[in-house]
């Protein structure tokens, strides 16, 4: 049986790794470096095109639990991420260049992985080939047409990436280092504090700034452009990414009216990204408006925010919870195109798709993880036929079955849910 994985993003490398580690030879197709999407810059695999944060590390958080499940399932990306982590309070953030370089090296050095650098335009459906499509949210051209031919129309929206500034260009006589509620080191985040007048002037310029396109794109709430959020009301950003809670400005001894947090972009702390500031503003407008942020008057922008297309399947109508197609079981999908939202969610789907591709080829029963696990609950959600008007879903405790008897304290409840999940996963692994 032949194995083909199309796409070397987070999901694709995880899928190929699972197949290769099982002892099978797998061909990994990647169109880079010959062809790149507008959001991709690097020639390496597993490129992080938006935030460099892989979210919370704590096992009693949804994101932390997901990563721990992945690690126990033999993940490639989680151990590498932990090796090249940068300070980010309670989050696992990485130096994105080192992360993708290390992933690429491990994939290229594996004796069971054959790499073919070319654009794939067709999806093989045959008895002698198992295919995993992990072409990502930016799938376009003939491959997009091939997917639609198998699955029907994909849904599309536009996602947004935040700008990055150099640390040395931030005026630290105005900004200050601190993590919310003192969680983590004071150099994990740089905070740019607003008083009320500064904030209102900034929001006024933000809502009237010129966007790069004229369309009012539909995006996830979590990736909404900051200017679109600001148009919902003067205080909307102040209760969102610009919330000042958990911060005290050492210059005043009080909580600021609003604040923009900058998060480390690399291990050296030479670059920081504007947290929650995904944007579709023209580059010149980004420079003008974001320079109004206190402490960023002379900021050097090493990358401006961009908007890019994101396509995903109506997976409940197309996929099983083991990520293969109902109609063509030798074809699997993995990654954000399946409707899982987030870096690690995409990678986790690649693990399950890779494991099940091997089991399908070997004639074994496919694995479906318990819904009490975070990975299993995501798999169940994207394949649940009762879900109408399907929208992508990230890891969260709300999709897990409730724990009984009910635990009122949220921290204790999350800890109990995490323990139940890992105990269930360990039983499957055994």
């Amino acid at each position: 049986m032949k194995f083909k994985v199309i796409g070397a993003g987070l999901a694709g490398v995880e899928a190929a790794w699972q197949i290769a580690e099982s002892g099978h030879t797998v061909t990994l197709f990647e169109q880079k470096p010959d062809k790149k999407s507008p959001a991709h810059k690097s020639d390496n695999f597993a490129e992080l095109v938006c935030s460099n944060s892989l979210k919370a590390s704590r096992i009693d958080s949804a994101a932390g639990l997901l990563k721990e499940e992945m690690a126990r399932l033999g993940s490639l990306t989680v151990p590498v991420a932990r090796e090249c982590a940068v300070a980010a309070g309670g989050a696992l953030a990485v130096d994105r260049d080192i992360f993708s370089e290390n992933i690429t090296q491990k994939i290229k050095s594996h004796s069971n992985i054959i790499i073919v650098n070319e654009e794939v335009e067709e999806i093989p459906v045959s008895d002698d080939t198992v295919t995993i499509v992990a072409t990502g949210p930016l799938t376009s051209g003939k491959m997009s047409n091939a997917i639609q031919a198998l699955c029907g129309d994909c849904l599309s929206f536009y996602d947004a990436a935040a700008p990055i500034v150099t640390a040395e260009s931030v005026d630290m006589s105005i900004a200050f280092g601190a993590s919310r509620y003192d969680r983590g080191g004071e150099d994990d985040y740089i905070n740019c504090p607003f008083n009320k007048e500064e904030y209102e002037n900034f929001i006024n310029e933000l809502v009237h700034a010129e966007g790069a396109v004229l369309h009012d794109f539909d995006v996830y709430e979590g990736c909404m452009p900051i200017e679109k959020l600001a148009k919902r009301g003067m205080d909307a950003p102040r209760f969102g990414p610009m919330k000042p809670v958990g911060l005290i400005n050492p210059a005043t001894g009080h909580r600021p009216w609003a604040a923009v947090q900058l998060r480390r972009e690399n291990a050296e702390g030479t670059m920081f990204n504007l947290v929650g500031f995904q944007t579709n503003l023209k580059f010149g407008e980004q420079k003008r408006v974001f320079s109004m942020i206190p402490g960023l008057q002379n900021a050097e922008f090493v990358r401006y925010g961009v908007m890019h297309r994101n396509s995903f399947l109506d997976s409940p109508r197309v996929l099983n919870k083991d990520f293969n197609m109902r109609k063509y079981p030798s074809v699997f999908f993995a990654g954000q195109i399946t409707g899982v939202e987030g870096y690690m969610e995409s990678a986790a789907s690649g693990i399950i798709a890779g494991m099940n591709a091997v089991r399908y080829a070997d004639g074994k029963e496919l694995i479906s993880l318990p819904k009490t696990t975070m990975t299993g609950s995501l798999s169940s959600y994207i394949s649940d036929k009762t879900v109408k008007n399907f929208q992508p879903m990230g890891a969260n405790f709300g999709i897990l079955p409730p724990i009984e008897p009910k635990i009122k304290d949220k921290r204790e409840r999350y800890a109990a849910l995490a323990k139940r999940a890992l105990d269930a996963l360990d039983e499957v692994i055994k």
Side-chain angles (χ1 to χ4, degrees), residues 182-195:
D182 294 323
R183 294 172 180 167
E186 67 175 18
D187 61 346
D188 291 357
Y189 290 89
I190 294 175
N191 302 276
C192 301
F194 288 79
N195 60 35

Side-chain angles (χ1 to χ4, degrees), residues 54-109:
L54 306 181
K55 300 182 181 178
S57 296
R58 303 186 325 274
I59 292 179
D60 61 353
S61 68
L65 173 59
L66 177 66
K67 287 189 282 290
E68 180 59 24
E69 290 179 2
M70 293 169 61
R72 297 188 186 194
L73 289 168
S75 169
L76 167 65
T77 60
V78 171
V80 172
R82 290 171 174 169
E83 291 170 1
C84 58
V86 299
L92 175 59
V94 300
D95 183 311
R96 71 177 73 213
D97 293 331
I98 295 176
F99 174 77
S100 59
E101 287 170 6
N102 289 356
I103 293 290
T104 303
Q105 189 277 328
K106 287 181 178 293
I107 290 291
K108 287 185 173 181
S109 63

Side-chain angles (χ1 to χ4, degrees), residues 407-428:
I407 301 173
K408 292 184 178 181
D409 182 83
K410 185 169 70 172
R411 176 64 66 88
E412 292 181 7
R413 183 168 67 253
Y414 287 175
L417 287 167
K419 182 180 185 303
R420 184 184 68 176
L422 295 177
D423 287 346
L425 180 63
D426 288 342
E427 285 298 316
V428 174

